[in-house]
Amino acid sequence: MDEITDGLYVGSSMAETDKDKLTDSMAETDKDKLTECKITHILTVASHYPPSYPSAFTYKTISIDDLPNENIIQYFPECNQFISDALSAGGRVLVHCMAGQSRSAAVVAAYLMQKDRLTAEQALHLVKERRPQIHPNDGFREQLELYCDLNYDVTVDKPLYRLFLIGHSAEHFKEYGSVQPVAAGADPGMQQQGLPTQRLVRCKKCRRALVTETNILDHQAGVGQVAFSYNKRSANGVDTPHAFPQNRACSSLFVEPMEWMEGVKEGLVENKIVCPKCLAKLGAYSWAGAQCSCGKWITPSFQIHRNRVDEVRQR
């Protein structure tokens, strides 16, 4: 195992050691190494890996596989808290996975990012200086970049994070044919205070507020599939929350799942979209996707017809 910063180590499973898989002498040697480094806390980031010395160290276990489509960013806040609390109390922390290259490196990089306000690249560079063999998978690297874009605050009220979760659910549906629970956009019609100045979409029949600017997902006209994505980079490398400029020729608006849409929380694959107040039919949604009038195939598709709503600017 390697010390990344004062009191914070990254290692493989051999650093913690599952004593049931090794001889007693080997297990004793590894425990002595932990004691020599004055380790007090162990953060395990691996699947089906029970603590080897539960009475000797304070453990936290995150069960996650080293796969690009795994949602590791959701665990960054609690991992950061565990590490921070341990170090603040004068403890020393080992973060380990199986090889000590991907999961553990991503978690420690996220901690450094949050503590020192670093970019993903900067944090990974610091970890790699002390442990050259680290190599987080591409999905984890993208989530570290998202973590920076979120200003190190992983909450569902952030549109970028909701879009990431929707994309994650879309990939799950594509692979397994079922829909995971999704973080839906807040219902603007239920907000107690006035909505901020922004684009607002209302039901044409009853004027009920349906979606705001942050819920609308713009796209370019054309033929082909647009994968749901939390973020894209423009030609000059600048991050843009909406990757696809709005084409006013499209007869529909595509939005994120909303709290007021029937069946979204229940995990329905497809359903009609109706106004929650007057029940006027507004469109439909399908996790399998649908084609816009411009020819673009959108996956998943939460489609509201423009002729059923009014788009206004709040003042």
Side-chain angles (χ1 to χ4, degrees):
M1 61 183 179
D2 299 288
E3 187 172 18
I4 307 304
T5 62
D6 290 343
L8 179 59
Y9 293 76
V10 169
S12 68
S13 60
M14 292 298 293
E16 194 272 350
T17 307
D18 185 342
K19 58 182 176 295
D20 293 332
K21 298 178 181 178
L22 302 171
T23 66
D24 291 340
S25 61
M26 291 176 68
E28 182 63 29
T29 300
D30 285 334
K31 186 177 179 181
D32 287 347
K33 177 65 175 177
L34 292 170
T35 303
E36 178 185 331
C37 293
K38 299 181 180 180
I39 298 297
T40 58
H41 294 67
I42 297 178
L43 174 55
T44 300
V45 194
S47 297
H48 312 297
Y49 195 100
S52 294
Y53 312 106
S55 61
F57 307 100
T58 299
Y59 279 86
K60 182 177 182 63
T61 300
I62 300 296
S63 183
I64 188 171
D65 294 321
D66 183 19
L67 298 172
N69 60 354
E70 284 281 75
N71 181 353
I72 196 172
I73 191 175
Q74 65 181 315
Y75 300 116
F76 288 169
E78 58 184 289
C79 289
N80 288 350
Q81 192 66 55
F82 179 80
I83 295 171
S84 178
D85 289 347
L87 295 179
S88 297
R92 299 171 75 82
V93 185
L94 166 65
V95 182
H96 83 91
C97 49
M98 296 306 294
Q101 296 180 352
S102 184
R103 287 165 286 190
S104 56
V107 166
V108 169
Y111 169 75
L112 296 175
M113 289 172 66
Q114 190 271 334
K115 181 175 75 75
D116 297 326
R117 320 308 282 181
L118 303 177
T119 65
E121 183 179 1
Q122 289 170 333
L124 288 172
H125 178 72
L126 289 176
V127 179
K128 196 173 185 66
E129 279 188 328
R130 298 297 183 91
R131 187 173 176 83
Q133 66 265 46
I134 70 158
H135 187 71
N137 67 55
D138 290 342
F140 291 173
R141 287 176 179 271
E142 290 175 1
Q143 290 178 62
L144 286 169
E145 292 175 0
L146 171 59
Y147 190 47
C148 183
D149 293 340
L150 292 171
N151 197 28
Y152 323 105
D153 182 21
V154 185
T155 55
V156 294
D157 63 335
K158 296 288 188 72
L160 287 180
Y161 184 54
R162 290 201 306 275
L163 293 184
F164 165 78
L165 293 176
I166 294 165
H168 192 263
S169 295
E171 288 299 319
H172 183 275
F173 173 76
K174 182 178 179 181
E175 185 169 356
Y176 300 105
S178 61
V179 179
Q180 295 178 314
V182 64
D187 185 351
M190 298 300 292
Q191 294 187 23
Q192 299 298 318
Q193 300 179 346
L195 294 169
T197 301
Q198 58 185 332
R199 182 179 173 192
L200 181 67
V201 177
R202 297 180 180 273
C203 173
K204 182 170 286 188
K205 184 176 180 180
C206 70
R207 307 295 295 166
R208 205 267 196 193
L210 300 171
V211 299
T212 66
E213 176 74 30
T214 58
N215 309 124
I216 298 172
L217 305 169
D218 298 332
H219 65 276
Q220 291 177 334
V223 178
Q225 184 169 350
V226 178
F228 227 110
S229 176
Y230 79 89
N231 198 17
K232 295 288 183 183
R233 296 185 184 273
S234 63
N236 60 3
V238 177
D239 292 328
T240 53
H242 298 300
F244 309 103
Q246 179 65 35
N247 181 358
R248 301 297 299 183
C250 300
S251 63
S252 298
L253 292 171
F254 288 86
V255 301
E256 65 176 314
M258 300 297 295
E259 290 179 345
W260 54 264
M261 292 180 180
E262 294 183 1
V264 166
K265 293 182 179 179
E266 292 74 20
L268 293 186
V269 173
E270 57 184 19
N271 200 10
K272 296 178 181 179
I273 297 178
V274 299
C275 174
K277 181 178 179 180
C278 69
L279 302 182
K281 184 177 178 181
L282 305 174
Y285 68 80
S286 172
W287 283 91
Q291 192 171 36
C292 178
S293 60
C294 70
K296 181 71 72 175
W297 187 268
I298 313 294
T299 307
S301 166
F302 290 78
Q303 185 176 17
I304 295 177
H305 301 308
R306 287 184 184 274
N307 60 3
R308 305 294 176 88
V309 296
D310 289 321
E311 299 177 57
V312 298
R313 293 280 180 177
Q314 288 287 95
R315 297 185 181 278

